[in-house]
Amino acid sequence: MNYRLTRLAGVLVAGSILAGCATQGGNTAAGGGIGAVVGAGLGALIGDSSKAAGIGAGIGAVTGAIVGYNWDRIVGKVDQAGGKQLGISTTQMADGSLKVNIPDGATFDISKATLKPAIYPVLNALATSMIEEPTLRLKSVGHTDSTGSAAFNQTLSVNRASSVVNYLASQGVAAGRMSVEGRGPNDPVADNSTPSGRAMNRRVELYLYAVR
């Protein structure tokens, strides 16, 4: 049998066994970590790419064990800070993280990486939450549509993701608790051939997660 497939099967079997143990024990914190372990295993097999992130953890491989976390309070803070009005959505992921999806209209002008003031209250709420809870970490992932050159879009996606992290750092969040990734146009969520699809693809995804 192909060595890579053998390793993949091992990861999936181990994940199934661990997930069963977590269910029997009723330990939701362990369950969140297990999803990340399986995701990290798949990431190691497939490579650290947007595809691996989609299959496993959106945050990719991380240092430390991911633990379960009740995200309701932070979701409430994002909504209270005007997140819904800006089109910001939150999703609790299977790997135990919280994805905060920020459309580019709420954050940046077209082809720019300078944050709009309208997003400050939401980012302030996230910064406050991270300062209050030292176990929280954040990964900022920038995405673009396919208009323009691949090199330009890659740089733009990194710069936009970095702008969010830099702002959070300016509000007191330690830089070492955050990371940045730019995926350019390589991880679309909609059809780039339509204006509405391109608008959906231009976004920054923030992944919050808790570690031991």
Side-chain angles (χ1 to χ4, degrees), residues 1 3 13 15 79 83-84 92 97 105 119 124 168 170 183 205:
M1 181 182 291
Y3 175 63
V13 170
D79 290 343
K84 286 186 176 181
Q92 298 189 40
S97 65
I119 196 65
N124 290 343
L168 293 171
S170 75
R183 295 181 184 167
E205 295 173 341

Side-chain angles (χ1 to χ4, degrees), residues 47-179:
D48 185 14
S49 68
S50 59
K51 291 183 179 179
I55 294 172
I59 52 179
V62 301
T63 301
I66 298 176
V67 298
Y69 192 86
N70 186 344
W71 297 110
D72 291 348
R73 184 173 62 88
I74 293 179
V75 170
K77 283 189 173 184
V78 169
D79 290 343
Q80 291 170 12
K84 286 186 176 181
Q85 289 87 333
L86 293 173
I88 295 171
S89 61
T90 55
T91 306
Q92 298 189 40
M93 308 297 286
D95 58 28
S97 65
L98 176 72
K99 180 172 77 172
V100 181
N101 185 71
I102 306 176
D104 81 321
T107 46
F108 307 101
D109 289 322
I110 294 178
S111 299
K112 303 295 182 182
T114 302
L115 286 170
K116 292 181 178 179
I119 196 65
Y120 292 170
V122 172
L123 296 183
N124 290 343
L126 293 178
T128 299
S129 296
M130 292 190 69
I131 292 169
E132 291 174 348
E133 181 48 78
T135 64
L136 293 183
R137 302 291 184 270
L138 179 143
K139 181 173 184 178
S140 178
V141 183
H143 302 268
T144 69
D145 62 29
S146 60
T147 304
S149 71
F152 174 83
N153 283 322
Q154 178 59 31
T155 299
L156 180 63
S157 67
V158 171
N159 289 344
R160 287 183 164 184
S162 297
S163 290
V164 174
V165 164
N166 291 340
Y167 181 85
L168 293 171
S170 75
Q171 300 305 301
V173 181
R177 297 171 59 192
M178 300 181 287
S179 62

